[in-house]
Amino acid sequence: MTTPETTPTPDTAPATDAGTGAAPDDVPVRTDGILERLAALRAADAPTHGGHVLSYVYDPGLAEVDELAAAAMRAVQPVNGLDPTTFTSVAVMERELVGFARAVLHGPTDGPDVVVGSVTSGGTESCLLAVKAARDAFRARHGDRPGVRPRVVVAASAHAAFRKAAQYLDVTLTTLPVDPASGLPDAAAYVAELDRRSVDGGRDVALVVVSAPSYPHGVVDPVAEVAAAAHERGVDVHVDACVGGWVLPFWGAAGGGQVPPFDFAVPGVTSISADVHKYGYAPKGTSVLLVRGRDRQRRQFFATTAWPGYPVVNAGMSGSRPAGPLAAAWAVSQALGTEGYTALTARCVRATRALHAAVGQLDGLRVVGSPTGPLIAVATDESVPAERRVDPHVWADAARARGWVLQPQPGLTQGDGTRLPHTTHLTVTPVTEATLDDLVPALAASADEVRGVGRPDTSGVLAALGAVSPAPAAAGGPALAAPTSDEMWAALLTALDTDGGSPRRGTGAVLPDRLAPLMAVMESLPGPVAERLLVEILARVAEPLDDAAPGA
């Protein structure tokens, strides 16, 4: 038995080798230059502060919030979030963060409709778990129905995480078109899907998904109407508020105007995902998944005793998980509270209005629809003559050359044949307000520079990629071999006139400076080919280099 005098404290490692009393062998540790190299690598990244990147990062513009988050993460660095009964701080922080989210999203605190929840690694995991719970509930209710798979009904503008969920969880995804002008789906189309009969004459919809707001266009789907119809038919409704869940609750009080109802105050809403690492201003990656009813929420869990190790129970997809992101999110939410979030949202409101007005003054561009919240999608204004039009992707490239990173979004032909225009996305954060004096002139100058310039010619790229993409097999003939990874990569490099070596060495960069040509290619290719190309690009980023030996 270890005596109290030799028992190490939780944060102190033993000073001797166990059982021998001998001093441990020296461990060679080389720290010189490592952090300096990391600093050099970070210098090549897009800036995460200052408001020059209008996607991916959510900057409150408050250094003390960043410092608090970093200190909270360091305080729990060794903690394993796998077992909150051992590391009880994890349980306390999770329950308090979930409680805050439940309060601002109007979730009941008791009774059969009590809203409970868990913290996940991000919006994708939250969405996956919502689909899993609905799938398992459907199977429990309906049993084995030959030829019937549970369906999840989404709008075309729903986040790609639901496509991933359908692929991972073996459910059928039904995608409804959205209006090209407004970006909104039709509530009646959801009702029609709810009433559509499966092969055995029964209903097969396990979950309906609506967005608040949708990421591509920043508009809030008709949550109340869809939830009412689904509730009447006993179908669960998930509100994807990953991007809106920590800003829309404060939008009205911050002067942003009325927000369409979307949270647990709406009867029929059964779950909501809300990312704390977006407008909660916490570091990546934390999201909250809230669920109406304990029994419904329990279906997201995994538990097993069917092995000889410790009993395993996980609320999410991972086992061991870092406590750092949770601690940072908890600390930031404690520091800001409702008043702090409202004040930061007010900055978003003012900046969003200013950018709406600025884009409205740019001949050849237009804002898509009537967004609610701090997201803006900008498309070509096709009501003006061609010589006055501005392509949003070419515009984004011109803005990037001036130091502003906007996010190009490809167009999409929907299932009903309608075409959603290609757009450029702007995520507005509190720090954006302080940049307006520089940002607005840069956007105007970029539009002036490229007005009348058409989309890039993709014929050469398509020819290069077509040379390695198999043609459709003849009827009854053998399937043709898909191109190898090396063939796809060589074709891409030829098409983009890039050597593929020097641009990425030491930085991970493989894409050209201008993204408009690549986005045009993605739209022109068949979906499976474009997706295969995306896989190859991202996979190449992380491939080890020839000289990447540890410590080299």
Side-chain angles (χ1 to χ4, degrees), residues 101-109 113-115 212 223-228 231 237 239 241 248-249 258-272 290-292:
R102 177 174 68 180
V104 299
L105 293 170
H106 301 108
T109 59
D113 277 351
V114 61
V115 166
V223 175
E225 297 92 327
V226 172
H231 181 63
V237 174
V239 176
L248 293 186
Q258 186 173 2
V259 175
F262 74 93
D263 61 16
F264 287 109
V266 177
V269 168
T270 54
S271 59
I272 299 177
L290 300 176
V291 180
R292 193 191 296 269

Side-chain angles (χ1 to χ4, degrees), residues 382-447:
E382 296 183 346
S383 69
V384 302
E387 64 271 14
R388 290 168 49 194
R389 295 176 187 173
V390 176
D391 183 274
H393 293 175
V394 179
W395 175 60
D397 281 342
R400 180 184 289 263
R402 289 176 167 82
W404 300 91
V405 180
L406 316 180
Q407 187 176 53
Q409 301 183 134
L412 177 70
T413 299
Q414 304 186 95
D416 65 350
T418 58
R419 180 75 180 171
L420 298 178
H422 65 288
T423 61
T424 286
H425 173 102
L426 284 73
T427 296
V428 183
T429 62
V431 77
T432 307
E433 185 180 29
T435 72
L436 290 172
D437 288 345
D438 296 323
L439 173 59
V440 170
L443 296 180
S446 299

Side-chain angles (χ1 to χ4, degrees), residues 124-276:
T124 294
E125 184 180 7
S126 290
C127 296
L128 281 165
L129 292 173
V131 173
K132 177 191 181 300
R135 181 203 65 180
D136 291 357
F138 179 90
R139 290 174 174 174
R141 287 195 304 268
H142 295 278
D144 182 25
R145 293 164 59 187
V148 176
R149 298 171 69 202
R151 278 198 301 140
V152 176
V153 179
V154 304
S157 54
H159 196 277
F162 293 99
R163 294 184 178 276
K164 178 184 280 190
Q167 186 179 115
Y168 281 17
L169 299 171
D170 194 31
V171 300
T172 298
L173 196 71
T174 298
T175 305
L176 305 178
V178 301
D179 179 68
S182 68
L184 288 168
D186 184 3
Y190 279 96
V191 176
E193 289 300 326
L194 286 165
D195 288 338
R196 184 157 66 89
R197 300 291 172 165
S198 62
V199 293
D200 64 354
R203 291 192 172 98
D204 59 359
V205 177
L207 182 69
V208 167
V209 176
V210 280
S211 302
S214 67
Y215 186 87
H217 305 117
V219 293
V220 177
D221 289 348
V223 175
E225 297 92 327
V226 172
H231 181 63
E232 182 180 343
R233 293 159 177 80
V235 176
D236 288 355
V237 174
H238 179 74
V239 176
D240 177 13
C242 286
V243 72
W246 290 82
V247 67
L248 293 186
F250 312 105
W251 195 255
Q258 186 173 2
V259 175
F262 74 93
D263 61 16
F264 287 109
V266 177
V269 168
T270 54
S271 59
I272 299 177
S273 51
D275 290 0
V276 199

Side-chain angles (χ1 to χ4, degrees), residues 108-121:
T109 59
D110 57 17
D113 277 351
V114 61
V115 166
V116 292
S118 54
V119 177
T120 73
S121 63

